[in-house]
Structure formats: structure tokens, C-alpha cells
Amino acid sequence: MASQSPTTGAPGATALPDYAPVPQSAIGPALNEQGYYVGRVERNLYWVTDGSYQSAFLTTKDGVVLFDAPPTIGGNIRRAVDEIASANGVSNKVTHLVYSHHHADHAGASSLFDKNVIRIGHEETKRLLLRDNDPARPVPEETFSDRRTLKIGGERIELAWRGPNHSPDNIYIHFPDHDTLMLIDIVNPGWAPISMSNLSEDIPGYIAAPAIALDYPWKHFIGGHVGRLGTRDDLTLHQQYMADIDASVRKALVSVDPTPFFQKYYDNPWAAVSALFDAWTEAGAAPVIEKYKGVLAAADVYTSSTVFWVMESIRLDLGFASYVHP
Ligand SMILES: [Zn+2]
């Protein structure tokens, strides 16, 4: 029989596992009554969060430039822009929207902004949005391939595509005059990556991205997720976490013997492979969870999932521990 909540009788509730408490260092500012927080990053650059997602905007003398429009923040993006524009006596008219990448969870409120907004993105973002054909995410009319400098309302924004990582089209958004870098879905400051390295399509690119980010001069980091901004130390800690996963996975891959798995499931190789993947994942994850519990929030929730995906990349992209039949 499925477990039931003792208070409501609803199924499943008591079966949910407990996890280590979220460290104070992971927690951001409190949200207002409408469920958002808007704060200054530096001068006229602001960020908005609902505690899970982040968006950013620049107020300029010619209007507002918006960076990403996550649907979970949705209508609160407009409220945050209005709040800041009215407090500072500047225009609240959103004139430009820059897409970090094509994913719906960061761009799905784009259609809340009117048709006259100029949307800007990488050329691959345009191609993917044409493919996806989602009315919530109008395709960018202005695109670039490697680098593009935007000069809008006297402000400077440097866009760069440095290869695939989390997605094929994810870009670096540098604000050289605001000491800030925006790079989405790579590092969650204070938190472990979610499922399978933040659901990344290209693991070698995902692992290399923080070093590229740290090559830029900046003090403030907008990562797209969680309730706070990041620092250079957050990126270094994330790099250490991923390096520890890499080392631990390599150890697991050469120390767990596959033979008993194929002996037990001699007529069902998929059962053998599944059990072996689980064993590699568990052996790879255990020491990393131990080290980062209480350091990175949700390390005990999500490390196994990321270990699994890094393990597959180490096997399949890098060919590590590959067995060639004699
Ligand atoms: Zn994404």
C-alpha cells in the first residue's frame, strides 16, 4: 500500500525524503507581496528574481533593455521595471529584449512585450525558435554569430557566443561598464546544478564555461537561477565541485567491476547496463555528496543526477575506460 499523509490522508506525502537544510549562504533577499524581488546590480543595471529564476534590465535614456523573460516571473517583470523607472524618473518603455538562449523557461514571457520591442539573440537561437514555433517566444529579428557589441541609450553590452554548453546557443552577456557578467544555466550560485548538470546538452562545453566566464572582468554574476546573485568565488566553488565529480567518476569507472552485472543478467544486457550505470553513479557521487553537503545547497538532492551525466560524457565524449574487444 502506498504511504499516506497522517494529517490529510493524501497519498505519497510521507514517502518524500528529507534533505540536508539549505545553508544560509544560498538564500537571497525576501520577495515582496507580488512574489518578486528587484534590486540594483550596479548603477542602472537591475535584476529581478522570484526565488528560482532571474531576469535583468538596464534603464537607459532611450528606454529599457531587458535580458531574458522567464515565464515564472512573467507579469512581475513589467511591475519591476515600472517600480524602478518610476522611482528613478526614467522611461519604463521596454525597447529591446536580449535572449540568453532559446529555452522556454527563460524566454517564455517574451510575448508579454509588444511587437515593437527589438529582440536580439544568437543566430542559433533564431534557428531553434523558428523550429520550436512557440508564440510565447517570438524569434529575434537581430542576430549575431560570434560577437556583437550593443550600444543602446548610451550603454554598452558585449554579447559573445563561445561554443555550445548548456544549450547550443547559450551566450555570454558582459556589461563592461557595470562590472557584471550574465551567463544562464551554468552556475547556480550557492546551489548544486539541477538534473544532469543543469540539463546540459554539451558536458565538455558546460564544464569549460566557468573558466571562460572568469576570463572576463566582473564583480557581479547573474546566473539565471536561484534567489541571489553570484560572485567570482561562487564560480570557483562550482568549478571545484565539477572537478571533484570528474575525478570521482573516473575512479568509479575503473574500480567497479562490470563482470557480476553481466553474469547475473546474462540474457538481458539492458538490465546489466542499467545496474552498472547505477553502481558507477552511486560510487562516483558518494564522496562528492559527503564533501559538499552543507556547502552547496541541494548537493544531496542533485549530485547523483549530475554524476550520471558527467559519467556518460567521460565515457562517450572522452572515451575514458573504453573497452576494445581483443
Ligand atoms: Zn536553459
Side-chain angles (χ1 to χ4, degrees), residues 8 126 246 283:
T8 64
K126 180 172 186 173
D246 181 282

Side-chain angles (χ1 to χ4, degrees), residues 214-232:
L214 287 166
D215 267 348
Y216 287 89
W218 55 266
K219 210 167 93 193
H220 317 287
F221 180 78
I222 303 170
H225 281 285
V226 312
R228 71 165 174 83
L229 296 175
T231 63
R232 299 184 76 87

Side-chain angles (χ1 to χ4, degrees), residues 75-76 111 133 177 195 207 273 312:
N76 279 335
S111 59
N133 192 29
D177 305 319
S195 309
I207 289 173
V273 166
E312 294 301 356

Side-chain angles (χ1 to χ4, degrees), residues 16 103 162 212 237 261 281:
L16 296 174
H103 282 166
R162 305 286 299 270
I212 298 173
L237 178 61
F261 297 85
T281 301

Side-chain angles (χ1 to χ4, degrees), residues 133-210:
N133 192 29
D134 176 3
R137 290 173 288 158
V139 300
E141 39 282 301
E142 291 196 16
T143 61
F144 68 100
S145 54
D146 290 326
R147 280 160 203 277
R148 179 158 175 201
T149 301
L150 302 177
K151 285 191 177 140
I152 303 170
E155 305 297 336
R156 194 156 55 112
I157 307 131
E158 308 271 5
L159 309 179
W161 181 81
R162 305 286 299 270
N165 45 55
H166 160 72
S167 66
D169 60 330
N170 203 22
I171 60 167
Y172 296 74
I173 303 170
H174 187 222
F175 302 87
D177 305 319
H178 298 81
D179 243 348
T180 299
L181 185 78
M182 183 167 180
L183 174 64
I184 303 304
D185 283 342
I186 303 291
V187 178
N188 305 334
W191 293 75
I194 68 147
S195 309
M196 305 200 307
S197 303
N198 277 346
L199 301 167
S200 285
E201 292 184 46
D202 188 310
I203 286 293
Y206 175 83
I207 289 173

Side-chain angles (χ1 to χ4, degrees), residues 9-283:
T14 55
L16 296 174
D18 290 315
Y19 292 109
V22 170
Q24 202 56 41
S25 58
I27 297 168
L31 307 181
N32 64 17
E33 259 174 25
Q34 276 112 342
Y36 71 90
Y37 169 86
V38 59
R40 174 177 272 134
V41 182
E42 181 137 334
R43 294 194 299 110
N44 54 339
L45 176 64
Y46 295 86
W47 69 295
V48 191
T49 184
D50 60 5
S52 291
Y53 278 86
Q54 299 176 355
S55 167
F57 62 90
L58 264 174
T59 58
T60 80
K61 61 180 170 60
D62 297 335
V64 175
V65 187
L66 182 63
F67 301 87
D68 277 356
T72 59
I73 308 178
N76 279 335
I77 299 170
R78 178 83 263 169
R79 289 185 193 96
V81 167
D82 289 351
E83 180 187 329
I84 294 299
S86 110
N88 297 338
V90 294
S91 167
N92 68 347
K93 186 179 163 48
V94 175
T95 57
H96 296 77
L97 198 171
V98 176
Y99 288 130
S100 64
H101 65 307
H102 73 290
H103 282 166
D105 63 328
H106 293 272
S110 173
S111 59
L112 295 183
F113 297 89
D114 68 42
K115 299 208 172 18
N116 299 324
V117 168
I118 298 166
R119 291 174 175 81
I120 303 165
H122 188 256
E123 60 189 15
E124 184 68 4
T125 302
K126 180 172 186 173
R127 195 188 69 78
L128 290 164
L129 288 177
L130 284 168
R131 175 199 71 177
D132 297 343
N133 192 29
D134 176 3
R137 290 173 288 158
V139 300
E141 39 282 301
E142 291 196 16
T143 61
F144 68 100
S145 54
D146 290 326
R147 280 160 203 277
R148 179 158 175 201
T149 301
L150 302 177
K151 285 191 177 140
I152 303 170
E155 305 297 336
R156 194 156 55 112
I157 307 131
E158 308 271 5
L159 309 179
W161 181 81
R162 305 286 299 270
N165 45 55
H166 160 72
S167 66
D169 60 330
N170 203 22
I171 60 167
Y172 296 74
I173 303 170
H174 187 222
F175 302 87
D177 305 319
H178 298 81
D179 243 348
T180 299
L181 185 78
M182 183 167 180
L183 174 64
I184 303 304
D185 283 342
I186 303 291
V187 178
N188 305 334
W191 293 75
I194 68 147
S195 309
M196 305 200 307
S197 303
N198 277 346
L199 301 167
S200 285
E201 292 184 46
D202 188 310
I203 286 293
Y206 175 83
I207 289 173
I212 298 173
L214 287 166
D215 267 348
Y216 287 89
W218 55 266
K219 210 167 93 193
H220 317 287
F221 180 78
I222 303 170
H225 281 285
V226 312
R228 71 165 174 83
L229 296 175
T231 63
R232 299 184 76 87
D233 284 348
D234 285 317
L235 267 68
T236 308
L237 178 61
H238 171 93
Q239 283 181 305
Q240 187 59 56
Y241 172 75
M242 295 306 295
D244 285 340
I245 285 178
D246 181 282
S248 184
V249 162
R250 285 169 197 261
K251 222 162 125 185
L253 283 171
V254 295
S255 61
V256 176
D257 177 13
T259 316
F261 297 85
F262 288 94
Q263 281 169 343
K264 158 97 178 155
Y265 300 114
Y266 64 93
D267 63 345
N268 186 349
W270 276 188
V273 166
S274 172
L276 180 57
F277 282 1
D278 286 350
W280 275 332
T281 301
E282 203 183 312

